[in-house]
């Protein structure tokens, strides 16, 4: 009997389950579904507390729908429960799986259920989710008076089937409800579009958009804000409450006008066509700015869509709520669509003015192009362009910049501004890499609306702000890695420009690029002309140096350095010079125009120890350095600012030739020398090396030739004198014959002694003066010198029928008798005190010079007279431009002038007088005797400490003026 009863109970459970499942499938009313579920739970399960709640996903809230309590009071079970983080009920909703509690009275995660548990002694409790397709639709709480009470497996299966069917029905019901309540933005927008077609002006259309949007979204306020570019602010153009605005309402006044500076992030989001959504704990903007924006508008939620036409922000459509609200995708789509409709109808308001503006812009670009290709004056052309562009764009400054690669900055090559504004006098640094790339990628002007906040062109911010620039448009006029020219339109207030205006400026900038390229070509031509002129001037310097017109020590080097510095336009250029074999370099200054550059005057620069010189010698070409690269030893003698840069190059003709110096150039670090300038400079330095080498070789050859000529002349004259003396002695020996008496033997011995002396002097000549002259120091009375000189020209005087007179040493000689005649000897020896004067120096060479002068005078004279004038010179040289009691007196000298009436060629006289430069390659009277001999005498007298001059008197007499140093009284013979 027991077995059939159990089968009957199981069948009843299955029948009850089938009945409730069928009831849940067929019922549409949610309340009936809940009641059917509660009845089934009360009938089939032994739980004292049953609670069913539905879950609101948007607000994260549980709504109680009823249940079972021991005292039948279900008011608590129909309350609304807000889910908090860590709550037990929230855990079930989020995890969507059952959760059991052994004693509900001590569970701290369900604080609101403690009173119910204590009241009804509820302990074991299980909470199950009502779910469908991973969506939680609600939950069921089952409580028992027993501790740890849980569902058995068979009962749990039946319960899960009921909850699953309930979840499916609730899900379908929610979908049907959403479908009924879902707004149709397409229908509303189509209706709005039909309405806009019937309206005539823009304000009516904006009002229609506001009303339709307000009805569809149902916010507290719906506004349309319009953007004013000149002042960069938004003003409320239309609102659903516009007719109801209270003048004393602070919120409405605050919303009526808002600057971009206040709404910077909000503005930039709208400018890139991004919808801004701010709702309950959600925002598309940064958190700190979200709070600021909501406070500024006086709302709790905001949904704003930009109104954009041709990439220009015209304004935005905003729906505002005073309560936190989560904006649905439908709301966003509708607001964005409504803003799009406004952007379509807004241009029609000023269509005529827009068309006229486009025509004016076309005419402007055409006029600019005509001015460029018709005007020869580029500045006048730019003035026309600047005037029209500033008027069209309502700007303050028109700035045209050109990049200077040597200075590595941008310089203003043209600018236009109002009469009450000063031109900008500074330069702008080179563009940063990102800014340069931005200009290269852009096909329109780059806009900086607020220079104070914008990070683009950051290195220009400070100088521009200091001169009143607050916003600007930047265009590159020519393409390139580094834009060679930039056009900037600046304004003194924060403002923005339309896309049409930016494209217009771009078109004008490309036309102005033609002018810049013309200037660039012109500047390059000028630079090439400058380099050509520099080369020409350097060649003239060489010609002057060769022709003897150059004056001053190191004239060639100093002038060449000036030309080299002019090519690079640098303030410092010097030459560290030396000759082969020297250990220390000499500093030859060329250009030092800046006091911050220089070399210390007492500096000693070692050629082998100085690193700067060795670095230059190790390079085949030029070497550029920074001041930081120099060692401390170099800084001791080289004074250059820390930001300076240096260029060095060795004076070297070929690799086989020894260098003779290093050219040192310095400038500021901002300079960037162009390759063209550096190549020209290297060529000039190389040319200077060749010039110096040619100069040194020429000087060496001239010096050697002069020494050899002097030596040859000197030896010939000495040998002639020796031959004459030896011949005279031999003649006298032959005349004497074989000595037979004592007197004849003495005479014979004297003649042999004279021959011995002649041989001895010849040996000294061959030994001491084989390849160069040997200067000795001895003294001789002037009378003896004249006597010996006149004896040597005795035969020549007789041949030319000349007579000679000596003045200033006693009674002059008035006839042409032999020098051994008593009258000649007496005339010289019977003089006054001047006859005791003695000259000092190399007497042999002085005697030869005097002999050469007498021979020349005799050769050009015939049948006339020759006068020798002697007088003592005691002159003092000035010290510091004036004579004083303590002035240093010049060494006392003897003036010996030889005058004759002979004829001399004017060219020879001019050459001897040094009135004309000597051409080494042209034929000259100084290349052969007698001019060659007289030139040798001049040069030799300079080495002996004397002077020799030639000139003609007014009566055409030729004067050979010889200055000989007199010996001191202690050394007179």
């Amino acid at each position: 009997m027991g077995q059939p009863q159990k089968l009957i109970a199981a069948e009843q459970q299955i029948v009850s389950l089938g009945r409730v499942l069928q009831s849940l499938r067929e019922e549409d009313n949610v309340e009936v579904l809940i009641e059917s579920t509660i009845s089934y739970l009360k009938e089939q399960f032994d739980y004292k507390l049953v609670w069913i709640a539905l879950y609101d996903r948007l607000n994260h809230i549980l709504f109680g729908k009823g249940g079972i309590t021991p005292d039948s009071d279900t008011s608590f079970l129909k309350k609304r429960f807000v889910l908090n983080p860590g709550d037990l009920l929230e855990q079930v909703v989020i995890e969507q799986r059952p959760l059991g509690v052994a004693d509900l009275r001590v569970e701290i995660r369900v604080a609101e259920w403690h009173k119910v548990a204590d009241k009804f002694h509820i302990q074991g409790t299980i909470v199950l989710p009502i779910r469908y397709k991973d969506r939680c639709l609600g939950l069921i709480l089952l409580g028992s008076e027993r501790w740890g009470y849980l569902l058995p497996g068979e009962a749990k299966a039946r319960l899960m089937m009921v909850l699953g069917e309930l979840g499916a029905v609730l899900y379908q019901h929610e979908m049907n409800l959403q479908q009924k309540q879902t707004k149709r933005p397409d229908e509303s927008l189509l209706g709005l579009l039909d309405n806009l077609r019937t309206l005539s002006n823009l304000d009516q259309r904006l009002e229609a958009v506001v009303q339709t949007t307000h009805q569809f979204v149902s916010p507290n306020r719906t506004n349309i804000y319009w953007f004013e570019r000149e002042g960069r602010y938004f003003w409320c153009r239309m609102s659903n409450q516009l007719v109801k605005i209270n003048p004393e309402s602070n919120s409405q006044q605050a919303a009526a006008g808002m600057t971009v500076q206040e709404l910077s992030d909000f503005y930039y989001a709208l400018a890139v066509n991004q919808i801004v959504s701010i709702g309950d704990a959600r925002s598309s903007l940064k958190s700190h700015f979200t709070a600021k924006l909501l406070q500024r508008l006086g709302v709790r939620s905001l949904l704003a869509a930009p109104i954009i036409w041709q990439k220009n922000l015209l304004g935005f459509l905003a729906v505002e709520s005073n309560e936190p609200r989560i904006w649905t995708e439908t709301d966003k789509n509708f607001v964005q669509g409504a803003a799009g409709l406004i952007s379509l109808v807004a241009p029609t308001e000023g269509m005529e003015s827009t068309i006229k503006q486009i025509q004016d812009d076309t005419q402007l670009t055409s006029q600019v192009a005509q001015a460029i290709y018709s005007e020869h004056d580029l500045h006048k052309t730019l003035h026309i362009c600047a005037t029209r562009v500033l008027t069209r764009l309502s700007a303050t400054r028109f700035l045209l910049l050109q990049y200077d690669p040597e200075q590595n900055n941008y310089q203003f090559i043209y600018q236009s501004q109002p009469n009450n504004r000063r031109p900008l006098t500074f330069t702008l640094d080179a563009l940063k890499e990102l800014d340069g790339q931005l200009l290269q990628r852009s096909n329109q002007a780059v806009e900086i609306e607020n220079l104070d906040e914008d990070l683009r062109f950051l290195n220009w911010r400070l100088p521009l702000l200091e001169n009143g620039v607050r916003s600007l448009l930047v265009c590159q006029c020519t393409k390139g890695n580094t834009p060679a020219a930039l056009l900037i339109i600046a304004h003194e207030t924060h403002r923005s420009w339309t896309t049409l205006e930016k494209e217009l400026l771009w078109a004008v900038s490309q036309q102005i690029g033609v002018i810049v390229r013309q200037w660039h070509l012109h500047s390059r031509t000028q630079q090439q002309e400058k380099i050509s002129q520099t080369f020409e001037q350097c060649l003239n310097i060489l010609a002057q140096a060769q022709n003897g017109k150059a004056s001053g020590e190191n004239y060639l080097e100093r002038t060449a350095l000036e030309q080299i510095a002019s090519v690079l336009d640098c303030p410092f250029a010097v030459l560290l010079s030396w000759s082969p074999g020297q250990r220390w370099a000499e500093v030859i200054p060329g250009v030092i125009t800046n006091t911050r550059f220089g070399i210390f005057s007492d500096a000693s620069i070692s050629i082998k120890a100085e690193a700067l010189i060795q670095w230059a010698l190790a390079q085949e070409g030029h070497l550029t350095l920074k001041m930081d690269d120099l060692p401390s030893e170099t800084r001791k003698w080289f004074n250059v600012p820390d930001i300076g840069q240096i260029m060095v190059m060795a004076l070297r003709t070929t690799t086989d030739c020894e260098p003779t110096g290093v050219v040192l150039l310095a400038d500021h670090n901002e300079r960037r020398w162009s390759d063209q300038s550096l190549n020209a400079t290297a060529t000039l330095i190389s040319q200077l090396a060749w010039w110096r080498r040619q100069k040194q070789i020429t000087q060496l050859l001239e010096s050697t030739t002069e020494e050899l000529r002097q030596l040859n002349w000197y030896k010939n004259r000495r040998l002639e004198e020796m031959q004459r003396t030896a011949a005279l002695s031999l003649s006298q020996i032959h005349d004497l014959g074989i000595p037979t008496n004592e007197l004849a033997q003495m005479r014979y011995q004297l003649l042999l002694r004279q021959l011995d002396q002649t041989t001895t002097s010849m040996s000294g000549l061959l030994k001491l003066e084989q390849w160069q002259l040997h200067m000795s120091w001895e003294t001789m009375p002037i009378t003896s010198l004249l006597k010996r000189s006149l004896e040597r020209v005795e035969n020549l005087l007789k041949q030319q029928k000349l007579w000679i007179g000596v003045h200033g040493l006693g009674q002059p000689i008035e006839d042409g008798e032999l020098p051994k005649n008593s009258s000649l000897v007496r005339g010289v020896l019977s003089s006054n005190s001047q006859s005791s004067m003695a000259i000092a120096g190399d007497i042999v060479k002085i005697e030869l010079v005097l002999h050469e002068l007498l021979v020349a005078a005799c050769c050009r004279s015939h049948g006339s007279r020759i006068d020798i004038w002697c007088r003592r010179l005691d002159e003092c040289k000035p010290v510091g431009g004036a004579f004083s009691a303590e002035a240093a007196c010049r060494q006392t000298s003897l003036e010996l002038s030889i005058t004759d009436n002979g004829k001399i060629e004017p060219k020879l006289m001019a050459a001897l007088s040094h009135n004309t430069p000597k051409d080494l390659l042209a034929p000259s009277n100084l290349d052969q005797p007698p001019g060659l001999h007289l030139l040798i005498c001049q040069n030799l007298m300079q080495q002996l400490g004397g002077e020799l001059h030639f000139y003609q008197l007014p009566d055409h007499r030729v004067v050979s003026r010889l200055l000989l140093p007199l010996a001191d009284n202690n050394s007179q013979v």
Side-chain angles (χ1 to χ4, degrees), residues 71-101:
D71 60 356
S72 300
D73 184 8
T74 60
S75 59
F76 177 78
L77 303 180
K78 294 185 179 181
K79 290 179 60 178
R80 186 180 70 169
F81 293 89
V82 178
L83 297 179
N84 298 315
D87 195 351
L88 181 66
L89 300 180
E90 185 192 45
Q91 182 178 350
V92 174
V93 169
I94 293 176
E95 296 181 359
Q96 297 185 23
R97 60 183 180 86
L99 184 64
V101 178

Side-chain angles (χ1 to χ4, degrees), residues 842-881:
D842 196 323
I843 301 301
V844 175
K845 296 179 178 59
I846 294 175
E847 182 181 350
L848 292 177
V849 170
L850 182 58
H851 171 70
E852 189 67 38
L853 298 178
L854 291 174
V855 169
C858 293
C859 291
R860 60 175 171 263
S861 303
H862 183 77
S864 60
R865 61 178 290 170
I866 296 176
D867 294 300
I868 301 176
W869 305 84
C870 301
R871 67 167 178 165
R872 181 190 182 97
L873 294 180
D874 294 325
E875 298 179 357
C876 292
K877 63 179 180 180
V879 178

